[in-house]
Structures are given as C-alpha cells and as structure tokens.
Amino acid sequence: MQRLEGKLADACGGWVTQVTAWPAAVVAVVVMITALLAWQGLERLGLDSDEASLFRPDVSYRQPREALTRAFPAVVDPVVIVIEGESEDLAHQATERMRERLLREPARFPSVYQPGGGPFFERHGLLYLDVAELDEVVVHLIQVQPYLGELAADPTLRGLFEMLGRAAEAAQTGELERSDIERSMAAVSEVVHAYGADSPRTLAWAEVLLDREPSAEARRRFLLIQPVLDFSRVRPAEVTLTGLREVVGELGLDAQPGVRVRITGSYPLSYEEADHVGWQSAAAGAASFILVSLVLILGLRSLRGVVAILVTLVAGLAWTGGFAALAIGRLNLISITFTVLFIGLSVDFGIHLVVAYREAMAGGRTRRDSLVQAAREVGPSLCLCCATTATAFYAFVPSDFLGVSELGMIAGTGMFISLFTNLTLLPALLMLGPEPARPKAPGPLPRAWSALLALPQRATRTVLGVAAALALAGGFLMPRVEFDLNPLRVRDPSTESVQTYDELLRDGMAFPWNVEALEPSIAAADALARRLEALPEVDRAVTVSDWVPEDQEEKLALIEDAAFLLLPTLDAVPRKPAPEATETVDALRGLIDALAAAPVLGDVGESLRDGLVALAAALDRTPEAERGAALGALESRLLGTLDERLRLLSASLRTAGFTLADLPPELRSRAIADDGTVRVEVFPSEDLNDNDALERYVLAVSALAPGSYGEGIVIYESGRVVVRSFRNALIAAALLIFALLIVLWRNLRDAVLVALPLALAALLTAAASVALNRPFNFANVIVIPLLLGMGVDSGIHLVHRHRQGGGAANLLRTGTARAVLLSALTTVASFGTLGFSSHRGLASLGQLLTLGLGLMVMANLVLLPALVARERRRGGESSYPV
C-alpha cells in the first residue's frame, strides 16, 4: 500500500509540477479542447425522450408493444381529451364541436376517436340499453309525447311555460302521473333559481327527455387522439398538444360556462412535467448556485479557489458531454442527470485539493510548492476515489435498465475526466495572477469544540453501541423498503394532466393503463374476453363483438312503438312564430297560477312557483326595453340545448338493426387489424393508483393472456426491471469497490474502515425512507449511486489522511475532515432546495438526498473516527491527542 501510494503521490506531484510550470499554456490548451468538446456535445448529443428506449429491446414487454403498434397504431399512448359539462347536453355539444374541428386537420391530429360517440352511436344508441332500461325509456317518452309535441312546435320560453302549465293541470286532475313530470319540474326549478342568483346553469334535456338520473359519467365525454411524435424533441408530442390548446381556445371552450376541457395521457403528462420541472429546476438551480457559492466562499475563504473550482467543474462537464456525444450519441431521460452526479463528485475533488493547498500555504510554502504538496497529499486518495466511484458507476452498465446503464457509462468515465481536470486545470488556474496572501493557520479551538471533536475517540464504546443499535433498528425496517413504481406519484399533483389521470384511474376509466390483448380471430378474442371477465381484478373485457348489441329484434320492436307516436310530433312543421316579450310574461304568470292550483306536485311544484314568482317580480322591475334581453338569457339556459337533443332523439328513433359489417371504419380499425388480428381491451375493477391493485391486475390478466400489453404492464414490469437492476448493480458495485480497496491497499482493516460507515449510512437511509414514508421511485433513485460515490470518497480521504498522519492527531481536526464536511454541505446546498418543490419527484430527490448525505457525513465523521480509535487502542495506545 505504501509503495502504491508513494508512486501515485510522485505521479500526481510530478504532473502538477509540470502543469504549474506553464499555467497559461495549460489553461489555453484546456480551454480549446473544452470548446471543441462542448461544440461536439451541442452538435451531436441529442435527447431521446421516448420512455420505451429506457429499457433494452429484449425486455419482456417491448415485443408485445411493437406488435400492438403495428396492428393498431392509433391505440398506443393516445392523448386523452376529457370534456365535462354541467349537463349531458353541454358535454355532447362541446365534444361534437371539438371532434369536427380536429377532423379537419389530420396533419396535427392523425386519428380522432370518440368512444361511444359520433353519428353511428347517435343513431343506434338506444340499442345499447338493456331491454328493461329501454322499456322504461320508451314508456316515459310515450307518456310525455303530447307535451313534447307542444314543445317541439314552440321551443321558446312561451312554449315551455305553457307546456308545464298544462302538465301541472293534468297532474292535478290525475291524467298525468306526478312522477312523469316531476323531473322536468325539478330541473326547470333549479335553472330558474340559479338564474335568479346569477349563477350559470343549463337545463339537462337528456336527463329530462329520457328520464335519466344525473350522473358524472353521463356528463363526461372522451376524445382519443393519436399524436404526431418527434422523439428528437424534449416534448415529442408538442405539435399535437400545442395544436389542441389552440383549438380549445379557438372554439372558446376554455371560457364557456358549464364546460370543462382537460387533456391527459402519457404525452401530456410528460409535456407538463417538462414545463413544471423546467421552471422549478431553474428556480432551485439559481438558489442552489448562490448557496453553493456561499458555502464554498465561507468554507474555503478563498474567492480565487472558488472560481477555480467552478471553472474546472464547467470544463469537466463539457468534456463529459463531449464523451457522451462521441461514445453514445444521445442522452435519455435518466442519463441526462449525469450533470447532477458529476457536479456533486467533481466539486468534492476540487474541495480536497484546494483545502490541502491552503493548508500547505499556511505552513509557509510558496504557491507552486503548495500546489505540488497538495497533489502529493490528496492525489493518491483522489485516484483511488476515482477508481472506486467509476467502478460503482460501471457496475450499472450491464443493466437491462438502459437509462441507468448509459448513465453509468457516462458518469463512470466522467470520474476520470474529473480527476484529470482537477489535477490539470485547477492548479493552472490557481497559478495565474499575482501571488495570493498567505492564509492564516487555524488558531486553537474553544474548549467546548475541542471536547466535541474528541468525543468519537474518547467515547468509542458509546459511539459503537449507538451505531450497532441504529444498524439493528435499520435492519428491522429493511424488509419494508419499497420502490413506488407509480409514475404519477413522482409528478406535480397541481398539474391538470396529473389530476385528470388520477381521477380517471379512480373511476375505473384507465384508458392509457388498460391491458390490450391480441387474438387471431373474433371467436378467440370473444373466448378470451369471457375468461378475463371471470377474474375479480377485471371489470369488463371488450372486443369488437361487444359493439353489436344483443336482443336487437326485441329492442327494435320497442323503439318502433315509440317512433310511431313520436316521429310525427318531432317532425311537425311549421313552428309557431317567436313570441313577443309580453306573450312570454303572460305565459309565465299562467304557469304560476297553474302551479298554485296543483298542490299534488308538492315541494317540487312549490319550489318552481317560488322561483317563477321571484322571476316575475324581477321582470316587473326591469325596464320594458331590457326585458327581451333578460328573457333571452333565461331562454338560452332553459332551451339552448333542446333543438340538438330533439334531433338526437329523432335520429335514435330511426335506428335499424346492424351487424359487425355495419360498424363504422373508425371503430373497426381500432378493433380488427388489416391482417385479421382482433383486439381485446381489458378494464380493471380496482383503482390502479394502488400498487397492490396494479400488481394483482397485471398478473391476473398476464396469466390468461401472456402476450398482452398495456401501460399498466409497462409500469409494473419496468418497476421490476429497475429494482432488479439497481439491486444487482449495487451489490456488484459494493463487492467490486471492497475488493478494489483490498487489492490496491493490501489492507483488509482499511477497507473495512471505509465500508462500515458507508454500509451504516446506506442502511439508515433506506430505513428512514420507510419511517418517513418517502419510498424510492423513478425520480430519486439516482440518490443511491450518488451517495455510494460520495460515501466511498469521503471514507477513502479520511482513512488516507489517518494513515498519512500515522494516527498522531485527531482526525476531525484535519483539513480532510473539513473538506468532507464542506463537500457534503455543497451537495446539500445544491440539491436541498429541491426538497421544497411542489413537484413530488423533485421534492423526494432533494429530501432523500439531504437525509442520506447527513447520515453519510455523520457515519464518516463520528463512526469512522471511533473505529480508528478502537483500532489504535487494540494496538496499545489509549487515545488520540487532541
């Protein structure tokens, strides 16, 4: 070990001797190489934002995805537009306007599909009701046919008030059941009262005419859009998503009262993610830069040293980016975080060099001699840190998780680049300019501080006992450590796409997470669907056959009965001429009198009468010239959707039986591929936001349909790949690092001194994630390699300093301990601000990293000195001098 360290010290010292002899030339050459590599990085280093490319092509779910994409390209990762209305009619009208507008622009919206909507379902919608349900609808329509006819002939406030007045009289005489008119009365009453309170509300004619209970599901419509994708962009679906926002604004749907349009799906999630992460990261980055600079200035007390470290850091980043461009040619959504890892570890190298340099300057050496001395003192430990940390990163290269595999290659090589730039550019920069003032040697510490720094060596047994107890407690919590595979829980919950996605999952409308199975024929698909529906984890399984209703003959007979009576009424022309304001007011007062004379209507009639009386009083106070506008506003709320609802009712009464061959092309193309492959869409029975529910659903469906694909399967399987990859890589990295330390140091005790604090910090970090309910996830998983790298580096520096000093001084009183603490503080300052982010992924990254770094520093600055003291006592010395 001594021979190896001697050779490394000679090599590092000799190299810095040459660098400091020609500092200006070295800086010029490094700057030119940096500029060239930075240009290469900017020119050639693209971003592959396709999440599928994060995993190797042979991962289990990739082939089923490709098969589904080939057969049904429009159903893979659609953009989901959710249109909700205050009433079913408003939702329908908004959706139709949106659908027709999008269909006119196939360049930005290649495929526009409305599940259960469009002209085909407008005509055949009644056939999809159960026979019993359809019978109730038909009976209701026949009973209200006379009143419906009056309203169809006069679809104005006058016609509505007159129709309701006659209905009230019929209810009082017993010609009409109260239940047949009650829903209409209640609906009109709600709108009238809302109008009087200046609250926007429209009459839900779909619920009134078809006698339906109001439901959130009926008031919600969907459009599924196949996006235009360009994976060379950070936001691959940007063309489609920006186009959708433009169309919503163009149609005025974003400002229409009673209508809400939201956009979600995998690509909208990523799009909003990029926006929110971008500005939050920028804000955190600005704060981090200020904090890191302050920490460095306060810790190093050398503005020149801080500037040299930061310039060296930027150069190292450019070199690493250039390497990534030449060796890999792209960054993925994981490897783009190599900057995070590089900054944390490269700053560590620079801090140790500058601290050692200033210690040498304070001892009376010249600037150049101090730099050479610093290189000789910390160079061997920097080389060993570089080797061990690079080994840790390279252990991720064989992983099936290609995102972290490429990150490992880039970050591992970046460690060697960091070592080179810190031993080359940093000393050259420090040599430029006039000779700096000699730093003052640190004075004696106050007695309290001295006692505190001596505590780990004086209270060795206590420290080791506490460490053992913490390790035992951590081991108890280890089986409960979790990896949260739900990508929604690392996103910003304030974004529209996340809120909408959450809501759809809770309501069982998990379009993007449904599992899709492929079968060679309709018969095989139907058989699989029936088997799947028998599973408790499955709500329903839909094939093309489910779009052909059963019992059509019986249903058509019922519809024909209604059509015989209703179609002549609905088609009646001409309509009555529009009324004058006075005629409408007279009809209003007539309805008030009719309601007063119909106590059989009970609370419903009384509520409507009260609202109408208030309305009449308000009209009396309104100038005559303004009454028409006031009545027009109320008519829009009460009758604005009536014409469209009557048209839809008329179309549905003209339905006819149909077969598979009669299904519209847009539906058939999503159910049967050109080669005859049939799609089975499987809906979950549970909320897939729950990881256990997702696992049950995926495993149950996959057992019956092994070649199936869906976002739910991707999330589950990719989570397993990530956990397996990190587990295997971390085990391999730990073993390789430990073996490397033994081989290079030829000293098992020193390797153990480095390994034990690191193991304790890792164990406690994992246990704390359980205790604080901060599970590992796709966002914070990079904490693991960063902590491993920094923990190993800190341990190596401290053990190396201990061996250099021969154990003659308190380890915590050395510049190395200060550098370890300062390095950790800069990393906490860099990433700790993320812990306050509203973005859950960024927040979990900042919080877990801050926690882990704190534990790592405590382990290295408390446990390691105690272990050193115990080792020395076994060798015969009772304590270290303070």
Side-chain angles (χ1 to χ4, degrees):
M1 180 181 70
Q2 292 177 346
R3 287 197 302 271
L4 174 63
E5 290 190 355
K7 290 180 179 179
L8 289 175
D10 290 341
C12 293
W15 177 258
V16 171
T17 299
Q18 296 301 317
V19 165
T20 54
W22 308 94
V26 168
V27 170
V29 171
V30 172
V31 166
M32 286 190 293
I33 296 174
T34 300
L36 177 63
L37 290 174
W39 174 75
Q40 282 290 309
L42 293 173
E43 187 74 17
R44 301 178 57 176
L45 194 60
L47 174 66
D48 185 353
S49 57
D50 184 4
E51 293 182 3
S53 67
L54 293 176
F55 300 88
R56 296 192 185 278
D58 56 353
V59 171
S60 59
Y61 64 81
R62 290 288 295 271
Q63 281 130 359
R65 174 191 172 92
E66 292 168 4
L68 182 66
T69 303
R70 284 194 302 270
F72 303 101
V75 307
V76 178
D77 293 333
V79 175
V80 181
I81 305 176
V82 184
I83 303 174
E84 294 163 305
E86 177 187 274
S87 68
E88 184 176 342
D89 301 304
L90 285 178
H92 166 77
Q93 287 187 348
T95 304
E96 283 302 300
R97 292 177 62 203
M98 188 85 175
R99 185 178 67 87
E100 291 173 3
R101 173 64 182 83
L102 296 178
L103 286 172
R104 297 202 301 267
E105 207 169 340
R108 288 197 292 181
F109 318 111
S111 171
V112 180
Y113 175 68
Q114 181 185 355
F120 178 84
F121 289 97
E122 289 176 3
R123 184 181 181 194
H124 300 294
L126 291 177
L127 290 175
Y128 288 96
L129 300 177
D130 293 335
V131 173
E133 187 180 0
L134 177 60
D135 184 60
E136 291 179 4
V137 169
V138 168
V139 169
H140 173 74
L141 287 173
I142 291 174
Q143 288 175 335
V144 301
Q145 179 269 334
Y147 308 98
L148 187 58
E150 292 181 27
L151 194 56
D154 187 9
T156 65
L157 280 180
R158 176 189 62 191
L160 176 64
F161 292 154
E162 290 177 351
M163 183 271 287
L164 290 175
R166 278 188 282 276
E169 294 171 0
Q172 184 62 29
T173 61
E175 297 175 27
L176 185 68
E177 293 291 334
R178 171 182 167 176
S179 59
D180 291 329
I181 197 65
E182 189 172 27
R183 190 183 303 279
S184 301
M185 292 282 188
V188 172
S189 176
E190 284 184 14
V191 175
V192 170
H193 280 285
Y195 178 78
D198 198 24
S199 174
R201 181 179 291 274
T202 59
L203 185 58
W205 281 103
E207 296 167 5
V208 170
L209 294 181
L210 300 179
D211 197 31
R212 290 179 182 170
E213 289 289 338
S215 68
E217 184 176 350
R219 297 172 181 177
R220 180 188 287 158
R221 296 287 187 275
F222 298 97
L223 290 174
L224 305 183
I225 314 298
Q226 180 186 4
V228 176
L229 299 176
D230 179 0
F231 289 113
S232 65
R233 295 171 175 255
V234 177
R235 304 175 178 89
E238 186 169 16
V239 170
T240 296
L241 294 176
T242 55
L244 288 174
R245 290 298 180 192
E246 289 173 8
V247 169
V248 170
E250 174 191 321
L251 297 177
L253 297 178
D254 53 345
Q256 181 177 340
V259 173
R260 185 185 186 190
V261 180
R262 294 181 290 170
I263 301 173
T264 191
S266 299
Y267 292 111
L269 284 168
S270 299
Y271 187 91
E272 287 194 342
E273 178 88 345
D275 279 346
H276 282 72
V277 169
W279 73 262
Q280 291 199 26
S281 296
S288 296
F289 183 82
I290 295 171
L291 287 174
V292 168
S293 299
L294 288 175
V295 170
L296 287 174
I297 290 172
L298 292 174
L300 297 177
R301 299 187 179 183
S302 167
L303 181 60
R304 179 181 296 190
V306 172
V307 172
I309 289 174
L310 294 179
V311 171
T312 302
L313 175 64
V314 171
L317 277 174
W319 284 41
T320 306
F323 164 77
L326 295 171
I328 299 175
R330 64 164 193 168
L331 294 175
N332 58 54
L333 296 173
I334 300 294
S335 64
I336 197 173
T337 62
F338 82 89
T339 56
V340 172
L341 304 177
F342 187 90
I343 290 171
L345 296 169
S346 183
V347 165
D348 183 24
F349 286 10
I351 287 172
H352 280 281
L353 272 169
V354 172
V355 167
Y357 157 69
R358 288 181 60 77
E359 278 189 341
M361 285 280 290
R365 289 184 172 86
T366 65
R367 173 169 52 175
R368 187 181 181 194
D369 288 344
S370 297
L371 287 169
V372 174
Q373 178 64 23
R376 292 185 60 83
E377 285 184 0
V378 301
S381 58
L382 291 183
C383 292
L384 188 55
C385 288
C386 176
T388 54
T389 306
T391 298
F393 285 124
Y394 287 146
F396 289 87
V397 172
S399 169
D400 287 335
F401 189 16
L402 198 58
V404 81
S405 172
E406 294 177 355
L407 173 64
M409 175 60 72
I410 296 170
T413 306
M415 291 302 94
F416 291 103
I417 291 173
S418 176
L419 178 66
F420 177 79
T421 53
N422 276 284
L423 288 175
T424 305
L425 181 59
L426 181 60
L429 289 170
L430 291 173
M431 281 297 296
L432 297 179
E435 187 82 12
R438 191 174 304 283
K440 293 182 180 180
L445 288 173
R447 184 181 298 274
W449 276 106
S450 296
L452 181 63
L453 294 178
L455 188 62
Q457 285 113 330
R458 288 179 173 171
T460 303
R461 290 184 178 180
T462 301
V463 171
L464 296 180
V466 171
L470 290 174
L472 187 62
F476 178 76
L477 292 176
M478 278 300 290
R480 295 167 54 189
V481 173
E482 293 183 2
F483 180 86
D484 189 353
L485 50 83
N486 190 331
L488 289 182
R489 282 195 281 271
V490 301
R491 300 183 186 273
D492 192 329
S494 67
T495 60
E496 174 188 278
S497 58
V498 171
Q499 292 174 352
T500 308
Y501 214 111
D502 260 334
E503 184 181 310
L504 295 182
L505 290 175
R506 286 196 307 269
D507 294 346
M509 297 180 177
F511 290 112
W513 282 19
N514 286 349
V515 170
E516 313 279 353
L518 302 181
E519 290 293 330
S521 67
I522 293 176
D526 291 343
L528 175 61
R530 302 297 80 80
R531 294 197 303 274
L532 289 168
E533 286 182 336
L535 298 173
E537 296 83 6
V538 173
D539 178 53
R540 64 190 186 279
V542 178
T543 72
V544 66
S545 300
D546 292 298
W547 294 111
V548 181
E550 298 177 345
D551 305 317
Q552 289 194 42
E553 291 185 8
E554 187 177 356
K555 293 175 183 178
L556 287 170
L558 290 171
I559 295 171
E560 286 172 5
D561 290 341
F564 178 77
L565 291 173
L566 287 168
L567 284 180
T569 298
L570 297 174
D571 295 342
V573 289
R575 293 181 171 182
K576 292 182 180 180
E580 299 290 336
T582 54
E583 295 179 78
T584 301
V585 173
D586 290 342
L588 168 62
R589 299 189 186 282
L591 176 55
I592 292 173
D593 294 340
L595 291 170
V600 70
L601 292 173
D603 293 341
V604 173
E606 187 67 24
S607 174
L608 177 57
R609 183 174 180 276
D610 290 344
L612 294 173
V613 168
L615 174 63
L619 289 172
D620 288 341
R621 296 191 299 270
T622 302
E624 188 172 346
E626 299 176 12
R627 286 182 186 175
L631 290 170
L634 178 60
E635 183 171 282
S636 176
R637 296 187 185 185
L638 283 169
L639 297 161
T641 63
L642 177 62
D643 279 343
E644 175 64 7
R645 184 49 58 182
L646 292 177
R647 183 190 72 79
L648 293 173
L649 177 59
S650 177
S652 67
L653 293 174
R654 288 180 166 86
T655 187
F658 64 91
T659 65
L660 281 174
D662 301 315
L663 291 174
E666 64 269 20
L667 177 55
R668 284 183 60 86
S669 66
R670 300 176 68 88
I672 306 176
D674 293 339
D675 63 357
T677 300
V678 180
R679 171 175 164 243
V680 182
E681 187 173 11
V682 189
F683 290 79
S685 60
E686 299 180 87
D687 179 3
L688 297 188
N689 259 325
D690 180 81
N691 286 340
D692 293 335
L694 175 63
E695 181 176 3
R696 288 192 296 270
Y697 170 64
V698 168
L699 293 179
V701 174
S702 298
L704 288 182
S708 54
Y709 172 80
E711 190 66 20
I713 290 178
V714 172
I715 291 169
Y716 175 72
E717 292 293 342
S718 61
R720 292 180 63 198
V721 170
V722 170
V723 171
R724 184 175 64 248
S725 297
F726 268 91
R727 183 187 63 235
N728 295 342
L730 286 172
I731 292 173
L735 293 176
L736 287 171
I737 288 172
F738 192 68
L740 187 61
L741 288 174
I742 293 174
V743 169
L744 294 179
W745 274 351
R746 304 288 179 90
N747 189 315
L748 179 61
R749 287 179 302 174
D750 286 355
V752 170
L753 286 177
V754 172
L756 284 180
L758 179 59
L760 179 63
L763 177 65
L764 293 181
T765 301
S769 74
V770 175
L772 299 176
N773 193 26
R774 291 290 184 271
F776 292 101
N777 54 51
F778 288 103
N780 64 29
V781 77
I782 65 168
V783 166
I784 300 171
L786 182 58
L787 286 177
L788 181 64
M790 290 198 68
V792 168
D793 288 0
S794 299
I796 289 173
H797 284 300
L798 288 167
V799 171
H800 179 75
R801 183 59 180 261
H802 162 63
R803 294 306 180 197
Q804 272 189 329
N810 186 341
L811 191 59
L812 296 184
R813 294 288 300 272
T814 64
T816 301
R818 292 196 298 275
V820 167
L821 180 60
L822 183 59
S823 178
L825 288 175
T826 56
T827 307
V828 169
S830 179
F831 301 108
T833 53
L834 296 176
F836 299 98
S837 171
S838 66
H839 184 277
R840 289 178 289 196
L842 292 179
S844 69
L845 171 61
Q847 293 163 5
L848 197 58
L849 182 59
T850 301
L851 174 66
L853 281 172
L855 292 170
M856 184 267 291
V857 170
M858 290 291 291
N860 274 314
L861 295 184
V862 177
L863 177 59
L864 196 151
L867 291 171
V868 168
R870 180 175 178 273
E871 177 192 345
R872 286 194 58 81
R873 286 173 184 170
R874 283 187 170 185
E877 294 185 25
S878 61
S879 65
Y880 288 105
V882 177

